[in-house]
Amino acid sequence: MGRTLEWRWFAVAGVILVAQSFVDITPEGPWNSRSFSRGLVGLVGLLCLYLAWFRWAFDKKGVAPITDLWKVPEETWRTVLLFGLSCLLLVKVTVWLEYTELFPEPTGMIVTLIGSLVVLNALYVGLITVGPLAPSSEEE
């Protein structure tokens, strides 16, 4: 059984929009700021990438990865946690090695936000599936 929702167009659009934030080709826009326009287009690109991932991962339209959509949340929350921690570590390493000039200015803040939200989601899923908030056999 194949996927029913198309996610590739969101992914292509997201990659193009995020890539443009590394070059200065956007117009000033009504706010008279080229950097604000670059950031806005980059954020729209990140949104497209998120929607592509959601459709690819869950084969469903939506934006919230609720636990009911996960196939095996008891096992995959660790993988999600590792991804979130790797986002945070990537920002830290970029700052330590002083590679921040290679990326647009707010990149560290945005990747830190993404990593923090992913870690929070993973910890929540871990707590309600295998942690102290998991339903006991008496409750089921």
Side-chain angles (χ1 to χ4, degrees), residues 22-59:
F22 287 90
V23 293
D24 195 13
I25 60 173
T26 54
E28 288 186 354
W31 34 79
N32 294 326
S33 174
R34 294 174 68 94
S35 64
F36 184 79
S37 296
R38 272 182 29 203
L40 187 62
V41 172
L43 284 175
V44 171
L46 285 175
L47 178 64
C48 287
L49 287 174
Y50 177 78
L51 291 173
W53 167 80
F54 192 92
R55 287 179 172 211
W56 174 81
F58 301 117
D59 197 27

Side-chain angles (χ1 to χ4, degrees), residues 41-106:
V41 172
L43 284 175
V44 171
L46 285 175
L47 178 64
C48 287
L49 287 174
Y50 177 78
L51 291 173
W53 167 80
F54 192 92
R55 287 179 172 211
W56 174 81
F58 301 117
D59 197 27
K60 188 176 207 130
K61 288 182 181 179
V63 292
I66 58 175
T67 313
D68 294 342
L69 296 176
W70 294 32
K71 291 181 182 156
V72 190
E74 299 84 9
E75 297 172 10
T76 55
W77 72 272
R78 289 182 186 94
T79 306
V80 174
L81 180 65
L82 286 175
F83 173 75
L85 291 175
S86 65
C87 285
L88 297 174
L89 183 63
L90 175 71
V91 171
K92 212 50 164 158
V93 167
T94 303
V95 171
W96 283 337
L97 297 178
E98 297 177 0
Y99 288 142
T100 54
E101 68 276 350
L102 298 176
F103 303 103
E105 199 171 323

Side-chain angles (χ1 to χ4, degrees), residues 98-121:
E98 297 177 0
Y99 288 142
T100 54
E101 68 276 350
L102 298 176
F103 303 103
E105 199 171 323
T107 302
M109 180 180 62
I110 291 171
V111 174
T112 301
L113 175 66
I114 292 169
S116 299
L117 291 173
V118 169
V119 166
L120 184 62
N121 184 24

